[in-house]
PDB file of all heavy atoms in Angstrom:
ATOM      1  N   GLY A 457      81.834 135.199 207.436  1.00  0.00           N
ATOM      2  CA  GLY A 457      82.892 135.972 208.052  1.00  0.00           C
ATOM      3  C   GLY A 457      84.191 135.957 207.316  1.00  0.00           C
ATOM      4  O   GLY A 457      84.851 136.961 207.075  1.00  0.00           O
ATOM      5  N   ALA A 458      84.521 134.778 206.787  1.00  0.00           N
ATOM      6  CA  ALA A 458      85.705 134.602 205.966  1.00  0.00           C
ATOM      7  C   ALA A 458      85.515 135.391 204.648  1.00  0.00           C
ATOM      8  O   ALA A 458      86.504 135.943 204.125  1.00  0.00           O
ATOM      9  CB  ALA A 458      85.972 133.215 205.671  1.00  0.00           C
ATOM     10  N   GLY A 459      84.321 135.477 204.214  1.00  0.00           N
ATOM     11  CA  GLY A 459      84.046 136.300 202.960  1.00  0.00           C
ATOM     12  C   GLY A 459      84.285 137.764 203.233  1.00  0.00           C
ATOM     13  O   GLY A 459      84.903 138.465 202.329  1.00  0.00           O
ATOM     14  N   ILE A 460      83.917 138.246 204.349  1.00  0.00           N
ATOM     15  CA  ILE A 460      84.239 139.671 204.722  1.00  0.00           C
ATOM     16  C   ILE A 460      85.671 139.856 204.859  1.00  0.00           C
ATOM     17  O   ILE A 460      86.298 140.878 204.344  1.00  0.00           O
ATOM     18  CB  ILE A 460      83.512 140.060 206.041  1.00  0.00           C
ATOM     19  CG1 ILE A 460      81.961 140.222 205.752  1.00  0.00           C
ATOM     20  CG2 ILE A 460      84.065 141.346 206.620  1.00  0.00           C
ATOM     21  CD1 ILE A 460      81.121 140.514 207.000  1.00  0.00           C
ATOM     22  N   PHE A 461      86.411 138.928 205.496  1.00  0.00           N
ATOM     23  CA  PHE A 461      87.881 139.037 205.671  1.00  0.00           C
ATOM     24  C   PHE A 461      88.548 139.098 204.328  1.00  0.00           C
ATOM     25  O   PHE A 461      89.370 140.011 204.065  1.00  0.00           O
ATOM     26  CB  PHE A 461      88.353 137.762 206.463  1.00  0.00           C
ATOM     27  CG  PHE A 461      89.708 137.886 207.100  1.00  0.00           C
ATOM     28  CD1 PHE A 461      89.835 138.178 208.443  1.00  0.00           C
ATOM     29  CD2 PHE A 461      90.858 137.744 206.314  1.00  0.00           C
ATOM     30  CE1 PHE A 461      91.068 138.310 209.001  1.00  0.00           C
ATOM     31  CE2 PHE A 461      92.077 137.875 206.904  1.00  0.00           C
ATOM     32  CZ  PHE A 461      92.188 138.130 208.216  1.00  0.00           C
ATOM     33  N   THR A 462      88.248 138.203 203.415  1.00  0.00           N
ATOM     34  CA  THR A 462      88.948 138.146 202.134  1.00  0.00           C
ATOM     35  C   THR A 462      88.484 139.339 201.279  1.00  0.00           C
ATOM     36  O   THR A 462      89.218 139.831 200.420  1.00  0.00           O
ATOM     37  CB  THR A 462      88.703 136.816 201.399  1.00  0.00           C
ATOM     38  OG1 THR A 462      87.291 136.569 201.298  1.00  0.00           O
ATOM     39  CG2 THR A 462      89.400 135.648 202.136  1.00  0.00           C
ATOM     40  N   GLY A 463      87.211 139.733 201.409  1.00  0.00           N
ATOM     41  CA  GLY A 463      86.701 140.811 200.655  1.00  0.00           C
ATOM     42  C   GLY A 463      87.520 142.171 200.940  1.00  0.00           C
ATOM     43  O   GLY A 463      87.821 142.942 200.084  1.00  0.00           O
ATOM     44  N   ILE A 464      87.775 142.359 202.224  1.00  0.00           N
ATOM     45  CA  ILE A 464      88.639 143.516 202.653  1.00  0.00           C
ATOM     46  C   ILE A 464      89.991 143.404 202.182  1.00  0.00           C
ATOM     47  O   ILE A 464      90.624 144.320 201.703  1.00  0.00           O
ATOM     48  CB  ILE A 464      88.454 143.702 204.217  1.00  0.00           C
ATOM     49  CG1 ILE A 464      87.011 144.170 204.536  1.00  0.00           C
ATOM     50  CG2 ILE A 464      89.473 144.762 204.675  1.00  0.00           C
ATOM     51  CD1 ILE A 464      86.772 144.232 206.072  1.00  0.00           C
ATOM     52  N   LEU A 465      90.563 142.183 202.332  1.00  0.00           N
ATOM     53  CA  LEU A 465      91.988 141.955 201.856  1.00  0.00           C
ATOM     54  C   LEU A 465      92.105 142.292 200.400  1.00  0.00           C
ATOM     55  O   LEU A 465      93.102 142.886 199.985  1.00  0.00           O
ATOM     56  CB  LEU A 465      92.414 140.547 202.220  1.00  0.00           C
ATOM     57  CG  LEU A 465      92.830 140.180 203.628  1.00  0.00           C
ATOM     58  CD1 LEU A 465      93.108 138.716 203.686  1.00  0.00           C
ATOM     59  CD2 LEU A 465      94.021 140.980 204.023  1.00  0.00           C
ATOM     60  N   ASN A 466      91.184 141.829 199.605  1.00  0.00           N
ATOM     61  CA  ASN A 466      91.210 142.065 198.118  1.00  0.00           C
ATOM     62  C   ASN A 466      90.953 143.466 197.793  1.00  0.00           C
ATOM     63  O   ASN A 466      91.555 144.113 197.016  1.00  0.00           O
ATOM     64  CB  ASN A 466      90.226 141.159 197.458  1.00  0.00           C
ATOM     65  CG  ASN A 466      90.760 139.681 197.372  1.00  0.00           C
ATOM     66  OD1 ASN A 466      91.907 139.437 197.162  1.00  0.00           O
ATOM     67  ND2 ASN A 466      89.872 138.705 197.527  1.00  0.00           N
ATOM     68  N   GLY A 467      89.818 143.997 198.404  1.00  0.00           N
ATOM     69  CA  GLY A 467      89.347 145.384 198.070  1.00  0.00           C
ATOM     70  C   GLY A 467      90.324 146.488 198.376  1.00  0.00           C
ATOM     71  O   GLY A 467      90.453 147.486 197.653  1.00  0.00           O
ATOM     72  N   THR A 468      91.103 146.281 199.484  1.00  0.00           N
ATOM     73  CA  THR A 468      92.069 147.322 199.859  1.00  0.00           C
ATOM     74  C   THR A 468      93.425 147.170 199.137  1.00  0.00           C
ATOM     75  O   THR A 468      94.307 147.997 199.201  1.00  0.00           O
ATOM     76  CB  THR A 468      92.377 147.228 201.397  1.00  0.00           C
ATOM     77  OG1 THR A 468      92.779 145.899 201.698  1.00  0.00           O
ATOM     78  CG2 THR A 468      91.132 147.534 202.179  1.00  0.00           C
ATOM     79  N   GLY A 469      93.557 146.016 198.457  1.00  0.00           N
ATOM     80  CA  GLY A 469      94.843 145.806 197.733  1.00  0.00           C
ATOM     81  C   GLY A 469      95.896 145.140 198.687  1.00  0.00           C
ATOM     82  O   GLY A 469      97.042 144.927 198.249  1.00  0.00           O
ATOM     83  N   ILE A 470      95.521 144.854 199.905  1.00  0.00           N
ATOM     84  CA  ILE A 470      96.418 144.360 200.870  1.00  0.00           C
ATOM     85  C   ILE A 470      96.973 142.984 200.505  1.00  0.00           C
ATOM     86  O   ILE A 470      98.192 142.767 200.627  1.00  0.00           O
ATOM     87  CB  ILE A 470      95.774 144.254 202.272  1.00  0.00           C
ATOM     88  CG1 ILE A 470      95.609 145.626 202.901  1.00  0.00           C
ATOM     89  CG2 ILE A 470      96.552 143.360 203.200  1.00  0.00           C
ATOM     90  CD1 ILE A 470      94.837 145.704 204.209  1.00  0.00           C
ATOM     91  N   MET A 471      96.073 142.144 199.920  1.00  0.00           N
ATOM     92  CA  MET A 471      96.536 140.755 199.575  1.00  0.00           C
ATOM     93  C   MET A 471      97.615 140.779 198.476  1.00  0.00           C
ATOM     94  O   MET A 471      98.648 140.077 198.677  1.00  0.00           O
ATOM     95  CB  MET A 471      95.300 139.909 199.107  1.00  0.00           C
ATOM     96  CG  MET A 471      95.568 138.474 198.980  1.00  0.00           C
ATOM     97  SD  MET A 471      94.120 137.509 198.795  1.00  0.00           S
ATOM     98  CE  MET A 471      93.446 137.501 200.462  1.00  0.00           C
ATOM     99  N   ASN A 472      97.431 141.554 197.447  1.00  0.00           N
ATOM    100  CA  ASN A 472      98.507 141.621 196.392  1.00  0.00           C
ATOM    101  C   ASN A 472      99.752 142.217 196.951  1.00  0.00           C
ATOM    102  O   ASN A 472     100.875 141.871 196.592  1.00  0.00           O
ATOM    103  CB  ASN A 472      97.995 142.426 195.195  1.00  0.00           C
ATOM    104  CG  ASN A 472      97.009 141.632 194.352  1.00  0.00           C
ATOM    105  OD1 ASN A 472      97.036 140.402 194.387  1.00  0.00           O
ATOM    106  ND2 ASN A 472      96.147 142.333 193.677  1.00  0.00           N
ATOM    107  N   ALA A 473      99.643 143.289 197.800  1.00  0.00           N
ATOM    108  CA  ALA A 473     100.810 143.903 198.359  1.00  0.00           C
ATOM    109  C   ALA A 473     101.608 142.979 199.197  1.00  0.00           C
ATOM    110  O   ALA A 473     102.823 142.965 199.177  1.00  0.00           O
ATOM    111  CB  ALA A 473     100.351 145.140 199.223  1.00  0.00           C
ATOM    112  N   MET A 474     100.920 142.111 199.935  1.00  0.00           N
ATOM    113  CA  MET A 474     101.650 141.148 200.800  1.00  0.00           C
ATOM    114  C   MET A 474     102.437 140.170 199.924  1.00  0.00           C
ATOM    115  O   MET A 474     103.601 139.876 200.211  1.00  0.00           O
ATOM    116  CB  MET A 474     100.609 140.347 201.653  1.00  0.00           C
ATOM    117  CG  MET A 474      99.938 141.086 202.782  1.00  0.00           C
ATOM    118  SD  MET A 474      98.528 140.241 203.510  1.00  0.00           S
ATOM    119  CE  MET A 474      99.313 138.786 204.128  1.00  0.00           C
ATOM    120  N   GLY A 475     101.784 139.635 198.892  1.00  0.00           N
ATOM    121  CA  GLY A 475     102.496 138.739 198.025  1.00  0.00           C
ATOM    122  C   GLY A 475     103.693 139.339 197.323  1.00  0.00           C
ATOM    123  O   GLY A 475     104.748 138.713 197.330  1.00  0.00           O
ATOM    124  N   ASN A 476     103.484 140.541 196.811  1.00  0.00           N
ATOM    125  CA  ASN A 476     104.636 141.166 196.083  1.00  0.00           C
ATOM    126  C   ASN A 476     105.742 141.550 197.011  1.00  0.00           C
ATOM    127  O   ASN A 476     106.907 141.446 196.677  1.00  0.00           O
ATOM    128  CB  ASN A 476     104.088 142.415 195.379  1.00  0.00           C
ATOM    129  CG  ASN A 476     103.207 142.060 194.194  1.00  0.00           C
ATOM    130  OD1 ASN A 476     103.448 141.138 193.527  1.00  0.00           O
ATOM    131  ND2 ASN A 476     102.172 142.930 193.976  1.00  0.00           N
ATOM    132  N   SER A 477     105.396 141.940 198.254  1.00  0.00           N
ATOM    133  CA  SER A 477     106.401 142.312 199.248  1.00  0.00           C
ATOM    134  C   SER A 477     107.315 141.104 199.633  1.00  0.00           C
ATOM    135  O   SER A 477     108.476 141.196 199.795  1.00  0.00           O
ATOM    136  CB  SER A 477     105.801 142.900 200.491  1.00  0.00           C
ATOM    137  OG  SER A 477     105.196 144.159 200.159  1.00  0.00           O
TER     138      SER A 477
END
Side-chain angles (χ1 to χ4, degrees):
I460 287 177
F461 198 101
T462 54
I464 292 175
L465 280 176
N466 284 322
T468 56
I470 287 175
M471 191 168 284
N472 285 334
M474 289 168 64
N476 290 324
S477 296

